[in-house]
Amino acid sequence: MRQPTIRRRIAVTGITALIMALLLIRLPVSAEPQPEVSDDIHSVLETSLSVVEIDKEIGRIQEEKQALLLSMADKEQQLAEQQEKIESKREQAGSVLRAYYMGERDFLFTALLSANSLSDLFQIIDYADILITHDKHTLNGYAQQYEKMKEGYEQLKERQIALGSLEERLQTQRSRVLALEQQLDEQLEGRSDAERLRLMIGELTSFWETEGLKEVKQYFSELSKAMQKLPSWIQDNKTFLEIEGFNYTLRVPQDDLNAFLREQNEMFERFAFTFEDGKVTATGKSDNLEISITGSYTVQVEPANGIIFHVEELLFNGFKLPDTTRNSLEEEFDLGFYPGLIISFLEAKSVEIKDGELIVKLSLSL
């Protein structure tokens, strides 16, 4: 009989687990190095953390899918109502077109030609204008309803495509979780310390969800706020901006960026950026937590020109978190830099990390 999945094992927390964990070798949650955690145990714990985080992504996708299904149901209802409206408009438009096609409006021109006086002529013109205006209004009403319904079907089609994409994402993440759970089962199978590892998994999961994730989000939130203030800081420190004709080069040394961050928030006293080998690494420590964020910048053209930070690796107390966590944080917190906020007519052309500096090539936007 197959053992319970790792997700159910992770649920083994509470007083009993904590007491047993104290009696056994506990998972270190301190930011200090812990050599007693071997590579194979580290791998097991890292995999378990990925299971937890990918499970969250599955939950997010399911919520997004449900919201999309409700949206599609509303759109289908709207289209059904529009269909009823357009039927009557279609009949009216058909009557108008038949009238012109069958010559039923020819009497207007005959009446105009047979007017006996200027007064009669003006009366006929007024009548013709009223009739033609009504016919035009009828035809325009049908055309507008038709275009509205056509647009509605296009929107529904787009949402159906989006739903298909969500289904693919959901299936992919479910497959990943199943594979990771199988991997964990195999890693734990036959180990004499399997129960101790399950307790360590529970403790790591609990610590991550109650403290770790909150702390990571706090760092991202404060970094995002600081990046919004970076353009005005550069305006006050124009030595970072080199001008050569219509070309500009922005050079921000890592030490100056760290000094800027520490001016924004005291939490960055325990946090530092390093620029090396084309990558940006930001590392921070607190009493029982250490995070490391590594990534790179790329130039973005739309929807706003700027350099956008992409998280390529995220470590929590030495444990690598999966891409789903990195992507979620990228979506929630904008760590980008927008040159147009320094000078409105500037736009980024290239970005590189070199010799401890963030170098952004800028030019005039035409």
Side-chain angles (χ1 to χ4, degrees):
M1 182 175 177
R2 194 173 181 273
Q3 291 184 347
T5 65
I6 192 64
R7 274 178 284 185
R8 279 177 284 178
R9 290 175 189 159
I10 288 173
V12 181
T13 55
I15 304 279
T16 304
L18 291 174
I19 293 173
M20 292 182 68
L22 289 171
L23 296 174
L24 298 165
I25 300 176
R26 294 184 59 202
L27 168 71
V29 296
S30 170
E32 297 301 319
Q34 301 290 340
E36 66 268 24
V37 177
S38 61
D39 289 343
D40 60 333
I41 291 177
H42 187 280
S43 176
V44 170
L45 296 174
E46 190 170 86
T47 303
S48 72
L49 204 54
S50 291
V51 169
V52 171
E53 284 299 287
I54 295 173
D55 256 343
K56 288 180 185 176
E57 176 67 8
I58 289 172
R60 284 192 291 268
I61 295 174
Q62 287 174 329
E63 288 178 4
E64 193 175 342
K65 175 184 172 183
Q66 187 60 34
L68 186 57
L69 287 171
L70 290 172
S71 172
M72 289 172 67
D74 288 342
K75 179 55 67 176
E76 287 170 349
Q77 179 63 33
Q78 292 172 18
L79 288 172
E81 292 171 358
Q82 287 175 13
Q83 187 70 43
E84 292 179 5
K85 291 177 182 178
I86 205 171
E87 287 300 328
S88 62
K89 294 288 185 183
R90 181 185 288 117
E91 291 179 10
Q92 294 170 16
S95 298
V96 170
L97 293 174
R98 281 194 302 272
Y100 282 99
Y101 181 76
M102 301 299 291
E104 295 175 12
R105 295 288 189 264
D106 289 351
F107 74 91
L108 292 173
F109 301 101
T110 303
L112 286 169
L113 294 172
S114 61
N116 295 321
S117 66
L118 211 58
S119 177
D120 289 344
L121 179 63
F122 287 142
Q123 284 183 348
I124 293 168
I125 290 173
D126 287 341
Y127 176 72
D129 183 57
I130 292 169
L131 188 58
I132 292 170
T133 300
H134 178 269
D135 289 345
K136 185 179 179 182
H137 178 75
T138 300
L139 293 173
N140 284 344
Y142 170 70
Q144 289 170 3
Q145 285 291 336
Y146 178 80
E147 287 300 320
K148 189 175 181 181
M149 190 174 70
K150 184 179 176 183
E151 182 183 332
Y153 275 112
E154 287 298 321
Q155 290 175 354
L156 185 60
K157 185 178 179 181
E158 289 174 3
R159 291 174 193 181
Q160 286 171 336
I161 293 172
L163 181 62
S165 177
L166 279 177
E167 291 285 5
E168 287 182 15
R169 282 174 55 199
L170 191 59
Q171 185 58 44
T172 297
Q173 300 306 340
R174 281 174 173 163
S175 297
R176 289 180 70 186
V177 163
L178 288 174
L180 287 170
E181 286 180 335
Q182 183 177 352
Q183 178 183 329
L184 278 170
D185 285 341
E186 292 171 356
Q187 287 176 317
L188 292 171
E189 188 176 0
R191 290 187 65 120
S192 60
D193 60 350
E195 287 304 316
R196 177 173 69 91
L197 281 177
R198 292 188 186 109
L199 291 172
M200 292 168 74
I201 288 171
E203 188 178 21
L204 174 63
T205 302
S206 176
F207 179 66
W208 165 246
E209 293 188 327
T210 57
E211 295 186 46
L213 182 58
K214 180 180 177 182
E215 188 81 6
V216 168
K217 284 193 171 187
Q218 180 68 14
Y219 274 113
F220 270 81
S221 176
E222 294 305 321
L223 278 173
S224 179
K225 291 175 185 176
M227 293 304 290
Q228 291 175 26
K229 297 177 182 177
L230 190 61
S232 61
W233 177 71
I234 290 172
Q235 283 181 325
D236 295 334
N237 295 270
K238 289 187 171 61
T239 53
F240 299 134
L241 197 61
E242 300 173 1
I243 303 174
E244 208 175 306
F246 294 112
N247 296 313
Y248 298 73
T249 301
L250 175 64
R251 298 178 180 272
V252 182
Q254 65 182 34
D255 291 342
D256 291 279
L257 181 61
N258 286 321
F260 160 73
L261 288 173
R262 286 159 191 160
E263 289 173 5
Q264 308 309 308
N265 193 308
E266 63 180 12
M267 73 179 295
F268 293 124
E269 293 293 337
R270 305 183 305 275
F271 196 89
F273 272 92
T274 56
F275 298 152
E276 190 175 16
D277 299 328
K279 301 291 183 184
V280 181
T281 300
T283 305
K285 283 186 179 183
S286 63
D287 293 337
N288 59 354
L289 185 145
E290 179 177 356
I291 68 166
S292 176
I293 306 162
T294 300
S296 60
Y297 282 102
T298 61
V299 175
Q300 172 184 275
V301 178
E302 296 292 342
N305 176 265
I307 59 169
I308 305 302
F309 185 71
H310 304 282
V311 183
E312 297 169 0
E313 184 180 75
L314 176 60
L315 299 178
F316 152 71
N317 281 7
F319 297 105
K320 188 182 297 185
L321 291 159
D323 59 318
T324 55
T325 309
R326 302 197 310 267
N327 295 339
S328 175
L329 290 167
E330 267 190 45
E331 289 177 11
E332 187 174 353
F333 303 102
D334 183 6
L335 303 185
F337 168 68
Y338 303 93
L341 298 177
I342 303 174
I343 302 175
S344 60
F345 51 81
L346 283 182
E347 62 180 23
K349 290 299 182 182
S350 67
V351 59
E352 66 175 328
I353 302 295
K354 185 178 179 182
D355 300 329
E357 289 184 323
L358 170 65
I359 306 169
V360 185
K361 297 289 185 181
L362 308 161
S363 66
L364 300 179
S365 59
L366 301 177

